[in-house]
Amino acid sequence: MHIAITGAAGFLGQRLVAQLLDRGELDGDAIRRLTLVDQAEPPVVAKEGVEIRSLALDISTPGALDPVLEAGPDVIYHLAAVVSSAAEADLDLGMRVNFDATRALLEGCRAHGLSRTRLIMASSVAAYGGELPAVLDDMTALHPQNSYGAQKAMSELLVNDYSRRGLVDGLVLRLPTIVIRPGRPNAAASSFASSILREPLNGEEAICPVPTDLELFVMSPGRVVDALIHGAGVSGEALRTFRAFMLPGITVSVAEMLEALREVAGDEALARVRHEPDPRIEAIVGSWPARFTNERARQLGFKNDKDFREIVEAFLGERA
Amino acid sequence: MHIAITGAAGFLGQRLVAQLLDRGELDGDAIRRLTLVDQAEPPVVAKEGVEIRSLALDISTPGALDPVLEAGPDVIYHLAAVVSSAAEADLDLGMRVNFDATRALLEGCRAHGLSRTRLIMASSVAAYGGELPAVLDDMTALHPQNSYGAQKAMSELLVNDYSRRGLVDGLVLRLPTIVIRPGRPNAAASSFASSILREPLNGEEAICPVPTDLELFVMSPGRVVDALIHGAGVSGEALRTFRAFMLPGITVSVAEMLEALREVAGDEALARVRHEPDPRIEAIVGSWPARFTNERARQLGFKNDKDFREIVEAFLGERA
């Protein structure tokens, strides 16, 4: 089993690599080879019996991935992306990395005859938008209200069409908001969703810029990696007529998130969250859908977090 | 008022040109200039007071439309496309003409500052597919099962995103099956839908390859051209959060189509239709959705044909 990963230096990529090396197998086959790709060489941890290559490549350049694809990987995780704020600030950059690179990867798979390679791409809840119903299902149209979401939605269509034509065996997983991310607050509108838990748990102050009745659709980093791994074993036939769908997050209000913080870490931790409304952030995050039926994902065996408390406890467990 | 039209040599393009010249105005402004573009120079009919240019251009070449866009057209009709059977047979050709050319056109509008230019693109019922509900609405997801539909759906997302960013004032109209097309039967799976009317009305035999209870979602060529013209006057604000939707066709069974033929032209005409089932054509055409609510289109003032008999009579009237 040879696995290639784009965006392997990122937060999710690094967690996926660690999990794969820990398991030692994917879909029942021993992992013999791992090819990690990112703009800068992804960090490598040696593991006996696994040949690991780490490559710095600009995957938006046509043919850049040829050396990887020539080796005929069995599974490709395509995680490389420009995040939503950057794609909104620079249309050309977003188109090049989020769309053209996906197209180049698909063309590379076609050119190298990788019709049986399982290509797993990460898409996003940001692909949804506009005038949405209260609860979304697998037939809800994608009307993205940001360039990142539009580029992901276009890539989904392309992965589906190349798969339908038998040029690759694609699968696209739309990710909920990932909570709790490690690290520091950043410029992402959703940054607070991790920050209001992470900082108080670390004994620091955090700012909550949205009303506490605001709902989010969230998934823990651990469950997202589980989904990426599970996706390698889902048959193309089971994916039927469309290869992209939303992963099963859970719906939580900010109030419920803060209550879980209090339960796990006490009133002292909760008191570290300052409420400073920011209408700009509320407008962006409030436009993201928070309720999904997730029928397809469940039928295909993808699992959600049990509840928000489990997410907080998992974060504490990993930090320990 | 300067209007540019790609695909101007095609069936719809030619009807649109004739209608525009006949009206002499669009959205209340006198038409002073018409730029017609196609692979081969579109036919030109002179009209006093209107400067008409006819250009042979390969619009999939970046910059090919620069001479047209430099002049700052007020309205652009983007009708150029590779049809579904050709796009399915040649993925590269379909991507180049149906997607890359749309992207190049949007980039051209951006480069030339045409933020107020109304760009009207034709999309198709073929963008829908997969496991569809019995009646589709404006929030039904696009899960195309053919490359033509995928390329149109991708182009829709791009037109929407460029419009949202204020780079152009886009609008995408998804066309029903157009009936009755003039001319001869062709390789399109939907060819019979025109043929079983047109040939008997012309005193010739026709073959019906599908069961008579099969339903189609159809629109007359006249109503499609009306919709293209109406689209020029719909404000960007009224289009709200997504710039693409289905035009209001009417749902008819093949039996109803044949009954309209009998009413208008008698048993003699009906007897010219031979029933020779073709499972391949039934499979393709039977997968197209036939029932839509068309709420958005109706709210925006787009009109459907009254009934199928009107469609047949319009065809006879034009032929006369």
Side-chain angles (χ1 to χ4, degrees):
Chain A
M1 169 72 69
H2 175 197
I3 304 167
I5 305 175
T6 74
F11 154 59
L12 267 187
Q14 285 287 297
R15 282 195 70 127
L16 176 62
V17 169
Q19 185 70 244
L20 289 170
L21 289 176
D22 197 44
R23 295 167 52 101
E25 60 84 29
L26 183 62
D27 194 23
D29 287 322
I31 299 170
R32 300 285 176 219
R33 204 162 162 188
L34 215 48
T35 306
L36 311 181
V37 176
D38 214 310
Q39 285 176 289
E41 261 186 42
V44 180
V45 192
K47 161 121 182 186
E48 214 186 302
V50 185
E51 183 195 331
I52 307 182
R53 281 172 73 201
S54 193
L55 302 169
L57 294 173
D58 174 5
I59 62 166
S60 65
T61 308
L65 281 170
D66 279 351
V68 178
L69 301 176
E70 269 163 22
D74 303 289
V75 176
I76 301 172
Y77 288 102
H78 179 40
L79 306 179
V82 161
V83 298
S84 59
S85 51
E88 198 61 24
D90 187 339
L91 176 60
D92 298 315
L93 176 68
M95 283 297 291
R96 197 167 73 238
V97 178
N98 294 339
F99 178 74
D100 291 329
T102 304
R103 184 173 175 182
L105 174 55
L106 289 165
E107 276 297 301
C109 290
R110 179 189 183 191
H112 291 89
L114 305 187
S115 60
R116 300 182 61 184
T117 292
R118 167 53 52 91
L119 169 66
I120 301 177
M121 185 184 94
S123 182
S124 167
V125 67
Y128 293 96
E131 294 149 62
L132 291 167
V135 181
L136 283 68
D137 63 30
D138 296 309
M139 283 309 292
T140 303
L142 300 186
H143 292 173
Q145 301 301 308
N146 56 85
S147 292
Y148 174 78
Q151 290 148 11
K152 284 293 185 186
M154 287 163 56
S155 298
E156 290 187 4
L157 286 159
L158 214 50
V159 170
N160 191 65
D161 201 46
Y162 275 62
S163 299
R164 188 189 59 79
R165 296 183 76 110
L167 301 172
V168 72
D169 185 14
L171 169 63
V172 182
L173 303 175
R174 295 181 194 135
L175 308 188
T177 297
I178 301 178
V179 172
I180 301 170
R181 284 179 176 270
R184 306 296 306 165
N186 63 28
S190 61
S191 179
F192 79 89
S194 287
S195 189
I196 59 172
L197 288 305
R198 185 185 58 220
E199 268 65 271
L201 289 170
N202 289 335
E204 296 172 30
E205 285 216 330
I207 291 167
C208 179
V210 298
T212 55
D213 62 351
L214 185 111
E215 287 185 335
L216 293 168
F217 196 65
V218 303
M219 199 174 208
S220 67
R223 282 293 182 194
V224 171
V225 170
D226 288 349
L228 292 171
I229 286 171
H230 180 71
V234 174
S235 78
E237 273 160 38
L239 295 171
R240 300 207 302 264
T241 53
F242 203 66
R243 301 270 181 145
F245 49 85
M246 191 71 202
L247 282 181
I250 58 172
T251 305
V252 284
S253 67
V254 171
E256 288 165 335
M257 294 168 72
L258 293 174
E259 176 57 20
L261 171 65
R262 200 191 56 76
E263 283 175 22
V264 168
D267 287 328
E268 196 189 353
L270 185 61
R272 295 191 190 108
V273 179
R274 276 209 328 269
H275 293 266
E276 289 183 11
D278 184 333
R280 198 190 53 86
I281 290 181
E282 189 189 341
I284 297 173
V285 181
S287 77
W288 299 346
R291 293 182 177 269
F292 291 84
T293 60
N294 293 121
E295 255 179 82
R296 294 213 52 208
R298 288 183 210 289
Q299 281 168 0
L300 294 168
F302 292 90
K303 305 285 188 214
N304 53 274
D305 296 282
K306 206 181 83 206
D307 52 32
F308 197 74
R309 186 166 169 154
E310 191 184 79
I311 293 180
V312 177
E313 283 168 348
F315 175 76
L316 287 174
E318 285 160 14
R319 210 188 43 166
Chain B
M1 170 71 70
H2 174 196
I3 304 167
I5 304 175
T6 75
F11 155 59
L12 267 187
Q14 284 288 297
R15 282 194 71 126
L16 176 62
V17 169
Q19 186 68 244
L20 289 170
L21 290 177
D22 197 44
R23 295 167 52 102
E25 61 84 30
L26 183 63
D27 193 24
D29 286 323
I31 298 169
R32 300 283 178 223
R33 204 162 160 188
L34 215 48
T35 306
L36 311 181
V37 176
D38 213 310
Q39 285 176 288
E41 261 185 45
V44 180
V45 193
K47 162 121 181 187
E48 213 184 303
V50 185
E51 184 195 329
I52 308 181
R53 280 172 74 202
S54 193
L55 301 170
L57 293 173
D58 174 5
I59 62 167
S60 66
T61 308
L65 281 170
D66 279 352
V68 178
L69 301 176
E70 269 164 22
D74 303 288
V75 175
I76 301 172
Y77 288 101
H78 180 40
L79 307 179
V82 161
V83 299
S84 59
S85 51
E88 198 62 24
D90 187 339
L91 176 59
D92 299 314
L93 176 68
M95 283 297 291
R96 197 167 74 238
V97 177
N98 294 339
F99 178 73
D100 292 329
T102 304
R103 184 173 176 181
L105 173 55
L106 289 165
E107 276 298 301
C109 289
R110 179 189 184 192
H112 291 89
L114 305 188
S115 60
R116 300 182 61 184
T117 292
R118 167 54 51 92
L119 169 65
I120 301 177
M121 186 184 93
S123 181
S124 168
V125 67
Y128 293 97
E131 293 149 62
L132 292 167
V135 181
L136 284 67
D137 62 31
D138 295 310
M139 283 309 292
T140 303
L142 300 186
H143 292 174
Q145 301 302 308
N146 56 86
S147 292
Y148 173 78
Q151 291 149 10
K152 284 293 184 186
M154 289 164 56
S155 298
E156 289 187 4
L157 286 158
L158 214 49
V159 169
N160 191 63
D161 201 46
Y162 275 62
S163 300
R164 188 189 59 79
R165 296 183 77 110
L167 301 172
V168 73
D169 185 13
L171 169 63
V172 182
L173 304 175
R174 295 181 194 135
L175 308 188
T177 297
I178 302 179
V179 172
I180 302 169
R181 283 180 177 269
R184 305 296 306 165
N186 62 30
S190 61
S191 179
F192 79 89
S194 287
S195 188
I196 59 172
L197 288 307
R198 185 184 57 222
E199 269 66 272
L201 290 169
N202 287 335
E204 296 172 30
E205 285 217 328
I207 291 167
C208 179
V210 298
T212 55
D213 61 353
L214 185 111
E215 288 185 335
L216 294 168
F217 196 65
V218 303
M219 198 174 209
S220 66
R223 281 293 184 193
V224 171
V225 170
D226 288 350
L228 292 171
I229 286 171
H230 180 72
V234 174
S235 79
E237 274 160 39
L239 294 172
R240 301 205 301 266
T241 54
F242 203 66
R243 301 270 181 146
F245 49 84
M246 190 71 202
L247 282 181
I250 58 173
T251 305
V252 284
S253 67
V254 170
E256 288 165 334
M257 294 167 72
L258 294 175
E259 175 58 20
L261 171 65
R262 199 190 57 74
E263 283 174 24
V264 168
D267 287 327
E268 196 189 353
L270 184 62
R272 294 190 193 110
V273 180
R274 275 209 328 269
H275 293 267
E276 289 182 11
D278 182 334
R280 198 189 55 86
I281 290 181
E282 189 189 341
I284 298 172
V285 181
S287 77
W288 299 347
R291 293 181 177 269
F292 292 82
T293 61
N294 293 120
E295 254 179 81
R296 295 213 50 208
R298 287 183 211 286
Q299 280 168 0
L300 294 168
F302 292 91
K303 306 285 187 214
N304 52 274
D305 295 283
K306 207 181 82 203
D307 52 32
F308 197 75
R309 183 164 170 157
E310 191 185 80
I311 293 181
V312 177
E313 283 167 350
F315 176 77
L316 287 174
E318 286 159 14
R319 210 188 43 167

